[in-house]
Amino acid sequence: MISANTQVKLLLTCRFGGRNENDAKPFSVNEYAYFAVWLWQQKLKPGDLLDRNSIEQALDKWNEPATHERAQQAIKLHGLKKTIENISAERIEQLLARGLSLSLALEKWNAAGVWILDREAPEYPPQFKKHLKHQSPAVLFGVGNKELLHIKGVGFVGSRSVEPEDTKATENYVTQITQLGYQVISGGAQGVDETAMLAALTSENTAVGILSGDLLKFSTSGKWRSHIRDGNLALLSISEPEARFTPVAAMNRNKFIYMLSEACVVVRSDERGGTWSGATEDLKKGWAPLLVSAHKTPNYAGNSQLIEGIKGQALRAHEVNFDNLHDVLAKDSKSVPLQASTEHEAEEEPSALSGDKQLGLGFDDG
């Protein structure tokens, strides 16, 4: 049974079933970020909007420009004026009126073993809130052992196209990180991601797969189902369980792999594409130490460029190979402690979401 607060967050941010061009569009990340802060400043919780009188009062206030002054000062988002204009009272009402669709979706998701975490849940990864502040996902969906979200792990990213030596390198690195007590965190895609996760799971270690879509499809696959049943795997998605894979979603997913990881190993990267984009963004944001493989001679162009550093910026990755990965992680495991907490944090209070310091993971924000 989910809380009233979670129900409203789902109604405002998710799609249920097929798309209809006449349906109200669910809130974007920025739209919900602003609305949640505004709601808190009106001394309302999301769940209050399930009450008819409360929603009428809230919508009356929403149409009063004066009620937005403090919220606009509290949250700094690009294009904030346009964001506010896009949230009409009519749109809010239409989204909240989808109770039947939500009930049917919840019944289906529950039967498939899907769990839902909102930002109030103690299992919600605190790294997301620390790094993304107001823009952390309002809700997360998952299948499997959610306790794994709070076990330290090393991320693995790389191309979907892999050669035998890439597979061997990935498996070698996984062996080393599991010996140090880390689990694998990856994206579940074919290639490096899948290889890393299966290498950990088949050796009776644990893994977290952060998906860009198709949570229900992944969770029922024979490749993963036994590991879910044994409690060794958690699949996590920032999109609703039936959302399809899209390149945009995959690009957006990458940062969550880095945020949840103590360090992240790039096994194979081109000089463009999802792996490259995620790695260069991590260098700039400092989510996790970036470790780039040098298992191939000559090295892949993307790998070499990441090691040499982003042009014009003093940002470069650590070079790792079969001989030094263990030493790099052993050192980092002392200097980069897991900063997970199960403390219950205030859901939308600006001071709770925007006042925290960034995780100290070794790079400047940039």
Side-chain angles (χ1 to χ4, degrees):
M1 194 68 183
I2 63 173
S3 70
N5 284 342
T6 304
Q7 289 180 51
V8 170
K9 293 170 192 175
L10 291 168
L11 288 168
L12 291 176
T13 65
C14 295
R15 295 187 184 276
F16 313 115
R19 295 188 179 188
N20 186 315
E21 62 181 15
N22 294 320
D23 291 343
K25 184 179 179 181
F27 283 4
S28 68
V29 171
N30 282 357
E31 287 172 342
Y32 183 76
Y34 178 80
F35 183 74
V37 171
W38 178 88
L39 201 65
W40 178 84
Q41 291 185 345
Q42 310 313 308
K43 303 188 184 306
L44 291 170
K45 296 180 179 179
D48 294 334
L49 299 184
L50 294 178
D51 175 74
R52 188 67 238 175
N53 290 330
S54 293
I55 189 174
E56 288 179 356
Q57 293 175 13
L59 294 179
D60 286 341
K61 289 184 177 181
W62 179 261
N63 290 324
E64 297 175 9
T67 66
H68 292 271
E69 292 177 0
R70 287 180 58 218
Q72 292 181 68
Q73 295 173 358
I75 184 168
K76 305 299 182 183
L77 294 172
H78 179 70
L80 183 56
K81 181 179 179 181
K82 184 65 174 177
T83 295
I84 298 171
E85 291 175 354
N86 288 339
I87 306 174
S88 66
E90 180 183 11
R91 182 180 173 200
I92 295 171
E93 286 196 285
Q94 288 177 349
L95 290 171
L96 293 175
R98 301 180 300 153
L100 177 59
S101 295
L102 173 60
S103 296
L104 294 174
L106 288 174
E107 183 177 352
K108 182 176 182 178
W109 298 344
N110 185 60
V114 173
W115 38 260
I116 301 169
L117 303 176
D118 68 9
R119 296 193 300 213
E120 294 179 283
E123 301 92 347
Y124 190 102
Q127 298 96 322
F128 297 171
K129 289 187 284 188
K130 285 181 178 292
H131 285 296
L132 296 176
K133 306 293 190 296
H134 300 288
Q135 293 170 300
S136 58
V139 287
L140 299 170
F141 303 89
V143 173
N145 184 0
K146 55 188 169 185
E147 293 181 4
L148 299 181
L149 301 180
H150 292 274
I151 294 179
K152 63 182 181 180
V154 171
F156 282 83
V157 297
S159 174
R160 290 174 177 264
S161 300
V162 292
E163 299 177 5
E165 56 194 312
D166 303 326
T167 299
K168 182 179 179 180
T170 303
E171 293 172 343
N172 184 299
Y173 292 144
V174 169
T175 297
Q176 292 189 54
I177 67 107
T178 55
Q179 289 174 349
L180 279 171
Y182 293 98
Q183 67 177 345
V184 165
I185 298 172
S186 198
Q190 291 182 342
V192 169
D193 294 20
E194 183 178 285
T195 298
M197 291 171 63
L198 289 175
L201 294 167
T202 54
S203 59
E204 298 185 350
N205 291 292
T206 60
V208 174
I210 303 181
L211 309 179
S212 56
D214 294 316
L215 175 62
L216 287 186
K217 180 180 178 181
F218 267 84
S219 66
T220 56
S221 168
K223 188 181 300 181
W224 309 114
R225 197 65 201 173
S226 62
H227 303 296
I228 292 173
R229 184 178 61 246
D230 294 340
N232 293 328
L233 174 64
L235 297 175
L236 184 69
S237 176
I238 59 173
S239 303
E240 51 267 29
E242 295 168 89
R244 297 293 187 183
F245 166 86
T246 66
V248 172
M251 298 282 276
N252 187 43
R253 174 273 315 273
N254 290 337
K255 60 177 172 281
F256 295 97
I257 297 174
Y258 286 96
M259 290 178 197
L260 202 61
S261 300
E262 299 290 293
C264 196
V265 179
V266 177
V267 177
R268 175 175 179 173
S269 176
D270 296 322
E271 290 183 284
R272 63 179 184 176
T275 302
W276 171 263
S277 176
T280 54
E281 188 176 13
D282 176 62
L283 282 177
K284 296 172 184 176
K285 299 292 186 180
W287 294 319
L290 190 67
L291 315 180
V292 177
S293 181
H295 67 278
K296 184 177 175 63
T297 305
N299 207 346
Y300 294 111
N303 291 38
S304 296
Q305 184 58 57
L306 290 169
I307 293 168
E308 293 171 7
I310 301 176
K311 294 178 180 179
Q313 301 183 48
L315 298 170
R316 64 182 60 192
H318 301 289
E319 179 178 340
V320 294
N321 52 49
F322 300 149
D323 298 324
N324 74 346
L325 177 62
H326 188 285
D327 293 337
V328 170
L329 286 176
K331 178 180 179 181
D332 282 351
S333 66
K334 297 176 183 177
S335 60
V336 188
L338 180 68
Q339 299 193 35
S341 169
T342 57
E343 293 181 2
H344 187 86
E345 297 191 38
E347 158 58 7
E348 308 300 353
E349 182 178 355
S351 60
L353 288 179
S354 62
D356 293 326
K357 294 181 179 179
Q358 294 284 337
L359 289 173
L361 297 183
F363 292 101
D364 295 329
D365 286 343

